[in-house]
């Protein structure tokens, strides 16, 4: 059984043009980006969080908060106004890992006003934060001093010790610099940087490949067409008896002969009833049906099993009388009288015969009787039906046979067609043994030579 990984690889392989298209798109984007990449200039400044009573790692958390405030698009315009820097310069604040230091980077496409831009913005952030903290301290001082001010306003006398305590408290509040920012003096030269052309091309290319693979997988999962054994069993519940590969030359022919031999061995299983009539059918027109049916019949006959191959695709007329006349009783013959060719003594064949009159209906009763005759006169009969969705007789043959094998063409047959075919067979109490998944019907060759061995026309009798 094919693994899920193999299914995914197969879906990507069968839609490799999608992956290639996205890869080319990513390559074009990467080339355009690399060709049009501008040189970027930058300068840097740094701030640190002041704290007398906290550990540095605790101050690092506060520094991260200051960096987020600085990077907020809603807050930067006010800082720009304070610093007096142009809009063409962009700024980014990044906290240093496990440190109370916050780095500020100024970037622009040219060096105009860039040398001190980061320093100006760092000072603007420092002043903004420290001013807010000072306002808080001033409010606290006013709150502490208010009781004594109220006493003085009432012409009361404030004790000397109370004045001393108040002054100490105010001095303590004003001396507290916790959470303030301090600009770190540093001379930052303007640095020049340009995107690495290799990375500029490689990243979009890799991204295109990844996206293309995901798109190919999604299309494979959503497709109604069968591309693997997994698709058939997962979407229809029917087993795949064998896969007939494509490919030309001796290697392809050997692989097909091996697959068809495995199918014949499956039908030789002791659990398969004897005698048996197997209907070979497809959902829509397929060149593989005739070839696989003939190969299967010839292999079983070559194994010494009395076999009859019946062409029941009566949509077109055959060259000689055959099954159509047998079913319509225009002429009669006995299946037991059909002989075989000397080089294949165990194989007999009944051709399709002349096309019946469109006004004449061949009922399932006659088809059932013909199937019973096949069982009586052979150990194994292979009936090639017309496409199930294109002929009413095909449904009747599948119902009369002991079981049906559905021929599916890879990347052509769909789940909708198989579901409709299954319903038709279920309506006549037929049984689908399994499916055969065919790669390239045009490459199929029969085990010996095509054409009838001895047709029913050799033994017809006038009615």
């Amino acid at each position: 059984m094919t693994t899920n990984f193999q299914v995914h690889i197969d879906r990507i392989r069968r839609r490799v043009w999608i992956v290639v298209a996205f890869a080319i798109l990513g390559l074009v984007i990467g080339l355009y980006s690399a060709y049009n990449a501008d040189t970027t200039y930058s300068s840097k400044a740094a701030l640190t969080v002041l704290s007398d009573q906290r550990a540095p790692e605790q101050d690092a958390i506060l520094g991260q908060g200051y960096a987020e405030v600085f990077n907020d698009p809603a807050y930067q315009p006010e800082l720009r106004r304070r610093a007096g820097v142009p809009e063409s310069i962009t700024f980014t604040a990044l906290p240093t890992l496990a440190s109370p230091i916050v780095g500020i980077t100024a970037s622009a496409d040219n060096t105009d006003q860039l040398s001190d831009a980061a320093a100006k913005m760092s000072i603007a952030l420092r002043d903004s934060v420290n001013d807010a903290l000072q306002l808080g301290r001033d409010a606290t001082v006013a709150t502490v001093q208010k009781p004594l001010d109220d006493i003085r306003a009432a012409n009361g006398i404030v004790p000397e010790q109370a004045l001393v305590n108040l002054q100490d408290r105010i001095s303590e509040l004003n001396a507290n610099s916790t959470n303030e920012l301090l600009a770190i003096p540093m001379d930052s030269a303007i640095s020049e940087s340009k995107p690495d052309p290799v990375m500029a091309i490689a990243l979009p290319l890799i991204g295109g490949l990844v996206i293309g693979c995901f798109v190919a997988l999604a299309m494979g999962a959503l497709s109604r067409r069968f591309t693997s054994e997994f698709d058939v069993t997962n979407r229809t519940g029917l087993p795949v008896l064998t896969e007939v590969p494509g490919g030309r030359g001796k290697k392809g022919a050997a692989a097909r002969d091996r697959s068809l031999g495995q199918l014949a061995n499956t039908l030789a299983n002791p659990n398969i009833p004897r005698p048996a009539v197997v209907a070979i059918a497809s959902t829509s027109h397929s060149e593989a049906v005739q070839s696989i049916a003939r190969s299967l019949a010839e292999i079983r006959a070559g194994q010494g099993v009395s076999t009859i191959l019946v062409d029941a695709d009566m949509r077109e007329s055959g060259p000689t009388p055959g099954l159509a006349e047998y079913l319509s009783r225009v002429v009669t013959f006995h299946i037991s009288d059909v002989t075989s060719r000397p080089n294949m003594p165990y194989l007999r064949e009944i051709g399709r015969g002349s096309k019946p009159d469109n006004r004449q209906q061949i009922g399932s009763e006659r088809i059932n009787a013909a199937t019973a005759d096949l069982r009586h006169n052979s150990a194994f009969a292979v009936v090639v039906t017309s496409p199930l969705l294109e002929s009413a007789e095909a449904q009747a043959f599948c119902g009369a046979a002991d079981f049906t094998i559905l021929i599916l063409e890879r990347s052509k047959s769909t789940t909708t067609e198989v579901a409709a075919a299954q319903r038709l067979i279920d309506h006549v109490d037929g049984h689908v043994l399994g499916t055969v998944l065919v790669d390239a019907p045009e490459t199929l060759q029969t085990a010996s030579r095509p054409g009838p061995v001895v047709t029913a026309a050799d033994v017809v009798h006038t009615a």
Side-chain angles (χ1 to χ4, degrees):
M1 179 65 71
T2 304
T3 64
N4 287 339
F5 178 75
Q6 291 173 322
V7 170
H8 295 328
I9 295 299
D10 183 69
R11 286 173 175 172
I12 293 173
R13 180 180 62 82
R14 292 183 179 279
R15 296 168 180 83
V16 68
W17 60 271
I18 296 177
V19 180
V20 172
F22 275 95
I24 292 175
L25 178 61
L27 179 61
V28 171
I29 293 174
L31 290 172
Y32 179 83
S33 176
Y35 180 78
N36 293 278
D38 295 326
T39 301
T40 302
Y41 303 92
S42 62
S43 64
K44 296 184 178 180
L47 298 165
T48 185
V49 178
L50 294 177
S51 175
D52 296 331
Q53 300 177 351
R54 285 199 304 259
E57 57 270 17
Q58 293 177 315
D59 288 336
I61 298 175
L62 182 60
Q64 183 176 354
Y66 286 146
E68 292 179 359
V69 170
F70 180 88
N71 293 327
D72 190 341
Y75 189 61
Q76 274 202 12
E78 174 60 22
L79 295 180
R80 287 179 182 274
R81 186 190 64 78
R82 280 175 174 254
V85 295
E87 294 289 336
S88 59
I89 302 176
T90 59
F91 297 92
T92 304
L94 290 174
T96 304
L97 183 64
S99 168
I101 298 176
V102 178
I104 294 178
T105 302
S107 303
D109 296 334
N110 54 68
T111 59
D112 295 343
Q113 303 183 40
L114 187 63
S115 59
D116 59 351
K120 288 181 178 180
M121 283 293 280
S122 66
I123 292 172
L125 176 62
R126 179 202 65 185
D127 292 343
S128 177
V129 171
N130 292 350
D131 289 348
L133 293 174
Q134 185 61 47
L135 288 175
R137 285 194 294 267
D138 291 343
T140 304
V141 169
T143 301
V144 172
Q145 191 172 342
K146 187 176 182 306
L148 298 183
D149 291 340
D150 291 342
I151 294 174
R152 289 194 184 96
N155 295 322
I157 298 174
V158 178
E160 185 67 24
Q161 187 59 42
L163 290 174
V164 173
N165 293 341
L166 176 62
Q167 189 60 46
D168 292 342
R169 176 61 175 156
I170 292 173
S171 298
E172 181 183 350
L173 290 172
N174 288 329
N176 183 13
S177 61
T178 301
N179 298 339
E180 285 188 355
L181 286 173
L182 174 67
I184 300 176
M186 56 184 295
D187 295 328
S188 172
I190 297 177
S191 60
E192 177 182 333
S193 63
K194 190 171 185 177
D196 183 358
V198 175
M199 294 300 295
I201 296 173
L203 290 179
L205 176 60
I206 294 173
L209 287 171
V210 172
I211 294 173
C213 289
F214 276 111
V215 171
L217 289 172
M219 291 182 65
L222 297 175
S223 174
R224 294 185 177 183
R225 301 184 185 277
F226 304 111
T227 59
S228 67
E229 176 184 354
F230 176 86
D231 289 339
V232 177
T233 56
N234 189 51
R235 296 173 185 173
T236 68
L238 296 174
V240 177
L241 303 178
T242 190
E243 294 186 58
V244 182
R248 300 185 183 276
K250 292 183 179 180
K251 186 175 181 180
R256 286 188 290 277
D257 288 343
R258 181 172 58 252
S259 296
L260 293 171
Q262 292 168 349
L263 177 61
N265 292 335
T266 299
L267 298 181
N269 189 300
N271 294 326
I272 299 295
R274 296 289 185 273
V277 177
V278 52
I280 308 295
S282 61
T283 56
S284 56
H285 175 73
S286 173
E287 298 177 4
V289 176
Q290 290 280 354
S291 297
I292 290 177
R294 178 172 292 279
S295 296
L296 181 60
E298 292 181 352
I299 292 172
R300 292 297 286 146
Q303 294 171 347
V305 178
S306 175
T307 304
I308 297 179
L309 175 62
V310 182
D311 186 352
D313 186 355
M314 297 176 290
R315 292 175 299 166
E316 297 180 0
S317 298
T320 56
L323 182 65
E325 288 75 17
Y326 180 82
L327 293 175
S328 59
R329 298 178 182 175
V330 173
V331 294
T332 62
F333 64 87
H334 300 294
I335 293 178
S336 59
D337 294 334
V338 179
T339 59
S340 61
R341 184 176 293 160
N343 66 341
M344 195 166 288
Y346 289 98
L347 177 62
R348 292 173 287 168
E349 182 175 349
I350 300 175
R352 67 182 63 175
S354 301
K355 186 177 181 180
D357 190 332
N358 291 332
R359 295 169 297 177
Q360 183 178 3
Q361 299 295 323
I362 298 177
S364 58
E365 294 83 3
R366 295 185 183 180
I367 292 175
N368 289 334
T371 305
D373 285 346
L374 291 173
R375 291 190 185 93
H376 182 71
N377 288 279
S378 69
F380 186 72
V382 181
V383 179
V384 183
T385 76
S386 50
L388 274 161
L389 304 184
E390 300 177 14
S391 168
E393 286 80 12
Q395 179 190 23
F397 275 111
C398 291
D402 293 297
F403 51 84
T404 299
I405 295 177
L406 283 178
I407 307 299
L408 306 179
E409 291 188 18
R410 196 186 304 270
S411 301
K412 179 181 177 182
S413 301
T414 67
T415 54
T416 303
E417 292 175 346
V418 173
Q422 284 184 279
R423 285 196 299 271
L424 291 174
I425 295 174
D426 289 341
H427 290 166
V428 291
D429 295 329
H431 171 62
V432 179
L433 181 66
T435 63
V436 174
L437 190 60
V438 182
D439 258 338
E442 67 276 6
T443 64
L444 289 174
Q445 300 292 332
T446 56
S448 60
R449 60 176 64 87
V453 179
V454 174
T455 68
D458 298 323
V459 293
V460 292
H461 306 283
T462 304

